[in-house]
Amino acid sequence: MESKTKNRESWLAAAFTALAEGGVDKVRVEVLAKALKVTKGSFYWHFRDRTDLMDALLESWKQGRIAAIKEQTRLDGREPAQQLRDMLALYGGSKPRGMAIELAVRDWARRAPEAGNVIAEVDRERLHSVAGLFVALGLPADQAFARAYLFYAFAFGQGLLAPGAAADRADVVRAICADVLVPAAQP
């Protein structure tokens, strides 16, 4: 049965691909079945309906983002300043599919309260975790939060610009942003 129906993870992977390529409206059972080369009926082995799929997609995205940010900001002996610089490089366009999914989920959140709640939860965790790195650098909590906010404004703002708008200068832009946001190490 598995080979004819795929598994739940296969359907979710196909849904993420559709989300990245065309937004939430592109996540359709018929389109996914065609991409997976299975019948539409096999979808119902894993999900009650499209709403169930979309709820699972949001939950999977949320869990993945929260796990990633916790791993990226875990104080593990690396210097917090270097962790922040590494994160800026990570968000710097090396993962266009990830940014496409991020922007698609944010667009979805503008129209659907359930997606908006998930975005709010992920953003709270991101800001809290990154602010923790700034606190570890010795900044007061309010300044740490403000820098975390600016950090993500820069990271996601890049995805809103035209692809390749600053591709030839991305490293310089990222370095300047890091210099502005990440305080120099204290002697």
Side-chain angles (χ1 to χ4, degrees), residues 56-118:
L57 192 63
L58 275 175
E59 183 63 23
S60 177
W61 181 81
K62 177 182 85 171
Q63 294 304 321
R65 294 309 85 227
I66 289 174
I69 194 62
K70 285 184 177 187
E71 177 62 27
Q72 292 160 359
T73 59
R74 182 172 44 93
L75 292 171
D76 58 3
R78 293 179 290 160
E79 289 295 318
Q82 189 57 51
Q83 284 179 264
L84 288 162
R85 289 175 185 280
D86 291 346
M87 288 176 66
L88 281 174
L90 179 68
Y91 285 110
S94 62
K95 297 187 178 207
R97 181 176 186 269
M99 186 58 75
I101 292 170
E102 178 79 31
L103 294 176
V105 173
R106 288 183 177 282
D107 182 55
W108 181 7
R110 293 174 49 209
R111 297 176 272 144
E114 64 277 8
N117 292 338
V118 168

Side-chain angles (χ1 to χ4, degrees), residues 10-78:
S10 297
W11 284 96
L12 286 170
F16 276 117
T17 296
L19 187 66
E21 292 174 356
V24 71
D25 294 333
K26 178 100 180 216
V27 183
R28 296 277 176 221
V29 176
E30 300 84 8
V31 174
L32 300 178
K34 185 175 179 181
L36 291 169
K37 298 181 175 143
V38 296
T39 64
K40 180 179 154 183
S42 67
F43 168 84
Y44 297 101
W45 283 94
H46 307 289
F47 302 96
R48 287 184 308 277
D49 52 25
R50 182 176 183 268
T51 300
D52 190 30
L53 169 68
M54 300 309 283
D55 290 346
L57 192 63
L58 275 175
E59 183 63 23
S60 177
W61 181 81
K62 177 182 85 171
Q63 294 304 321
R65 294 309 85 227
I66 289 174
I69 194 62
K70 285 184 177 187
E71 177 62 27
Q72 292 160 359
T73 59
R74 182 172 44 93
L75 292 171
D76 58 3
R78 293 179 290 160

Side-chain angles (χ1 to χ4, degrees), residues 66 69-70 120-130:
I66 289 174
I69 194 62
K70 285 184 177 187
E121 189 175 343
V122 169
D123 284 351
R124 274 191 302 274
E125 185 61 41
R126 283 175 167 155
L127 291 168
H128 172 77
S129 295
V130 170

